[in-house]
Amino acid sequence: MKRKVTKAIFPVAGMGTRFLPATKSVPKEIMTLVDRPLIQYAIDEARAAGIKEFIFVTSRGKGALEDYFDHSPVLEEELRRKGKDDLLEVLETTNMDSGAIAYIRQHKALGLGHAVWCARRLIASDEPFAVILPDDVIAADRPCLQQMVEAYAETGGNMVAAMEVAPEKASSYGVLDVADDMGSMVKVQGMVEKPKAGEAPSNLAVIGRYILSPTVLKNLNKIKRGAGGEIQLTDAIAKEIDSKRGVYGYRFRGQRFDCGSKSGFLQATVAFGLDREDLRDDLSAYLHDVVNMGKAAE
Ligand code: G1P
């Protein structure tokens, strides 16, 4: 029987230089979409998929993340005293059981593969695990990782979230070489991290959700630096292609926002704002006005 996926690694060590000056003192993952930090979206998605243990790979200056997931007795007491039960309920989603969350430091910025490798001692040698990149925020009726866990129950092996991208954008991603296209699932025969322009094997890109065999952690021990001089997770997964486990791409149903870019972050803010009943009317009236003003000026 395939083992259940109950652990997820969240690589959150990046400096977030694209969001300076904000990220000078605020970790990128604490930046807020409407009223919840990016990391909360990732945690909610993981919980919906059955994840029970959360492993954060952090770096210097990420202390706010630890505080965020800690209980806040003074604040909670104050809200209780004022009878603000709705806000207490909101706070509850940020609390973690003791021992459910672990923090590991990545001491050198050697890439995504290296960040995941830093967590190797927390994953058993027969235990599949998930990786979630919180920059990739995915709006979906059924959370993306949950869709993948269900598909993984059929396939086992290794699975990456996949999405068609414009050919000129492919060099920003890990890209799949597809052996067999079964619709929502593809069997992978090659993976290239950040291919040069015109050299991508397809326009099916890897998005930041993975379910991996623990062998990938062993592969990370062996691989050399890849694209950008970094230890790449994509290269360690590609080593699994010829194993009996294999690698699958999963075309998730949902809309992905690249919250590692300013434009993606703004788009996500608008989309999540419009999704909220308490904000929808005001925000869409404002957006109409802005669009109409633009038209009038043309
Ligand atoms: C990482 C992965 C890449 C993947 C991307 C998705 O790249 O290395 O394979 O396509 O996330 O967001 P990064 O965006 O960290 O450069």
Side-chain angles (χ1 to χ4, degrees):
M1 215 187 74
K2 290 179 202 88
R3 274 191 69 161
K4 271 194 147 177
V5 186
T6 57
K7 289 184 187 168
I9 300 176
F10 300 79
V12 290
M15 287 199 287
T17 49
R18 275 194 273 181
F19 285 94
L20 279 171
T23 45
K24 186 180 171 200
S25 67
V26 180
K28 180 175 61 169
E29 299 76 16
I30 291 290
M31 289 184 19
T32 306
L33 285 178
V34 187
D35 50 14
R36 290 155 65 203
L38 276 190
I39 195 67
Q40 183 73 49
Y41 291 85
I43 293 289
D44 289 350
E45 185 179 331
R47 280 183 172 141
I51 300 296
K52 304 276 183 261
E53 291 180 55
F54 306 82
I55 303 166
F56 280 52
V57 183
T58 69
S59 60
R60 186 174 291 274
K62 298 279 180 166
L65 276 169
E66 293 195 34
D67 289 344
Y68 179 78
F69 288 111
D70 200 359
H71 285 257
S72 178
V74 177
L75 176 59
E76 284 167 30
E77 186 43 45
E78 182 71 6
L79 293 175
R80 215 166 284 125
R81 212 173 46 80
K82 291 186 172 155
K84 305 234 175 209
D85 292 348
D86 48 338
L87 291 179
L88 276 168
E89 221 170 277
V90 168
L91 273 193
E92 237 163 66
T93 62
T94 68
N95 291 344
M96 289 277 182
D97 290 341
S98 297
I101 189 161
Y103 299 92
I104 304 241
R105 279 221 179 176
Q106 184 188 22
H107 296 109
K108 287 183 190 162
L110 294 178
L112 176 60
H114 179 261
V116 169
W117 177 80
C118 288
R120 68 199 176 282
R121 293 204 174 88
L122 298 183
I123 307 284
S125 61
D126 60 347
E127 185 177 39
F129 61 99
V131 177
I132 296 189
L133 309 187
D135 273 2
D136 281 334
V137 175
I138 301 174
D141 289 339
R142 221 147 35 91
C144 179
L145 190 67
Q146 188 186 355
Q147 296 176 34
M148 288 173 71
V149 162
E150 285 164 16
Y152 174 82
E154 307 286 322
T155 61
N158 295 274
M159 187 175 285
V160 300
M163 181 182 99
E164 253 70 47
V165 296
E168 68 276 13
K169 295 273 168 67
S171 50
S172 305
Y173 296 90
V175 180
L176 301 179
D177 187 357
V178 175
D180 193 7
D181 195 332
M182 299 161 276
S184 63
M185 192 101 77
V186 303
K187 185 97 172 63
V188 172
Q189 61 182 2
M191 295 174 81
V192 188
E193 180 67 18
K194 313 263 158 63
K196 294 199 184 81
E199 290 181 13
S202 74
N203 57 358
L204 195 56
V206 176
I207 298 303
R209 303 289 183 275
Y210 308 77
I211 299 175
L212 300 175
S213 144
T215 335
V216 171
L217 298 170
K218 294 214 177 79
N219 298 344
L220 282 166
N221 275 323
K222 296 178 213 148
I223 58 168
K224 299 205 177 73
R225 293 182 187 218
E230 297 188 335
I231 309 278
Q232 294 293 351
L233 183 59
T234 301
D235 296 343
I237 300 170
K239 290 229 171 297
E240 286 285 280
I241 289 172
D242 294 329
S243 74
K244 65 176 189 312
R245 293 170 294 279
V247 177
Y248 299 88
Y250 179 78
R251 285 193 183 93
F252 57 94
R253 287 171 301 283
Q255 190 181 5
R256 174 255 187 179
F257 296 95
D258 174 11
C259 289
S261 80
K262 287 175 204 171
S263 156
F265 200 98
L266 289 170
Q267 288 169 34
T269 302
V270 172
F272 283 94
L274 288 174
D275 204 40
R276 284 267 298 256
E277 233 167 79
D278 54 335
L279 301 172
R280 189 177 301 140
D281 291 349
D282 266 5
L283 183 57
S284 63
Y286 170 71
L287 291 172
H288 276 222
D289 285 352
V290 170
V291 170
N292 288 337
M293 267 193 301
K295 278 192 190 140
E298 270 168 22

